[in-house]
Amino acid sequence: MVRLVLFDIDGTLIRTGGAGVKAFALTAEHDFGLPDGTQRMSFAGRTDTSLVRELLTAHGRPTDPATIIRFLDAYVFRLDECLRTHEGRVCPGVQEFIGALHRLNPPPLLGLQTGNIRLGAEIKLRHYGLWQHFAVGGFGDDDEDRNRLVAVGRARGERLLGRALAGDEVLVVGDTPADVRCGRAIGAKVLAVATGGASPEALRQSQPDWLVPDLTHAAAGDVCG
């Protein structure tokens, strides 16, 4: 039985209408003097810290921890502004699926596995009224390697639950092959949803345990049994 469910954020729980990418681009331009610095960057399935390092390295800028933190501090301020001006939404079925998880007996612990830094994750999910559902998580400021974030989330879940969790007691929910790889890294079950940037075929090739068009097609009891 699944005791911990770890959700990706962007494309899985919410679509921000490009607010995150816009905030990143504005930070690059106005705080670091790098207009159009993000045009050739791919954001899907990445951690915020690795994206900052890639941007700075590409333009010959220092990548020391203080500079990366300075970028991320400016980014979250601009993110809060961009969320107010971009038209986003909660992905289909999210509220209902979370409600169904809460009604399971016993209900699993809910958490996050996301490339967003923790504050960025909180800003996004508070904006859409979802933050209160999640007790633990692995975030982009915990590790630059996306594949390690599920293990971080599981470790925090174990501390809260007071016991170790086998891989198949963890369910990862995500919208990219990177989410599938993250789950497989610890032997977790994976529910892939085609609500983000990856095509259903790309998700199918990554071999999740379940693949659904969106969470209206997912039954909490089936994936957590």
Side-chain angles (χ1 to χ4, degrees):
M1 180 178 292
V2 168
R3 302 304 308 128
L4 173 66
V5 182
L6 296 173
F7 289 84
D8 174 55
I9 293 179
D10 297 292
T12 300
L13 292 173
I14 59 172
R15 301 296 299 269
T16 67
V21 174
K22 182 64 173 179
F24 199 96
L26 287 173
T27 302
E29 179 176 0
H30 295 290
D31 297 279
F32 283 77
L34 300 173
D36 303 321
T38 62
Q39 284 191 343
R40 294 181 178 86
M41 296 178 65
S42 175
F43 284 76
R46 301 285 302 281
T47 62
D48 286 347
T49 45
S50 71
L51 287 166
V52 175
R53 186 178 300 279
E54 177 186 327
L55 173 74
L56 296 176
T57 299
H59 292 86
R61 300 296 181 87
T63 58
D64 57 283
T67 302
I68 291 175
I69 290 171
R70 182 165 68 87
F71 188 102
L72 292 170
D73 284 348
Y75 159 75
V76 292
F77 176 79
R78 294 189 181 278
L79 175 63
D80 194 40
E81 293 181 326
C82 287
L83 285 168
R84 299 193 193 108
T85 58
H86 283 65
E87 186 175 346
R89 60 183 173 87
V90 177
C91 291
V94 166
Q95 298 278 17
E96 296 81 1
F97 185 68
I98 289 174
L101 291 173
H102 285 312
R103 290 190 296 272
L104 293 177
N105 186 21
L109 185 67
L110 304 189
L112 301 164
Q113 57 86 23
T114 175
N116 288 274
I117 60 171
R118 188 187 186 282
L119 182 54
E122 182 174 356
I123 289 169
K124 287 181 180 180
L125 293 181
R126 281 195 186 280
H127 182 80
Y128 292 99
L130 295 173
W131 177 251
Q132 72 277 6
H133 294 295
F134 305 104
V136 295
F139 301 95
D141 40 359
D142 290 316
D143 201 302
E144 287 190 36
D145 186 343
R146 188 72 169 76
N147 286 341
R148 295 175 184 163
L149 299 183
V150 169
V152 173
R154 179 177 68 172
R156 288 175 175 155
E158 288 174 335
R159 288 196 291 271
L160 202 56
L161 292 168
R163 70 173 184 87
L165 293 171
D168 62 3
E169 291 183 291
V170 180
L171 173 68
V172 169
V173 184
D175 68 293
T176 68
D179 295 305
V180 180
R181 290 192 296 271
C182 284
R184 296 301 184 223
I186 67 161
K189 298 177 179 180
V190 181
L191 168 61
V193 291
T195 50
S199 69
E201 182 55 33
L203 291 170
R204 189 174 295 110
Q205 289 178 4
S206 69
Q207 299 184 320
D209 295 279
W210 299 274
L211 171 59
V212 294
D214 58 54
L215 286 174
T216 64
H217 296 265
D222 291 344
V223 298
C224 289

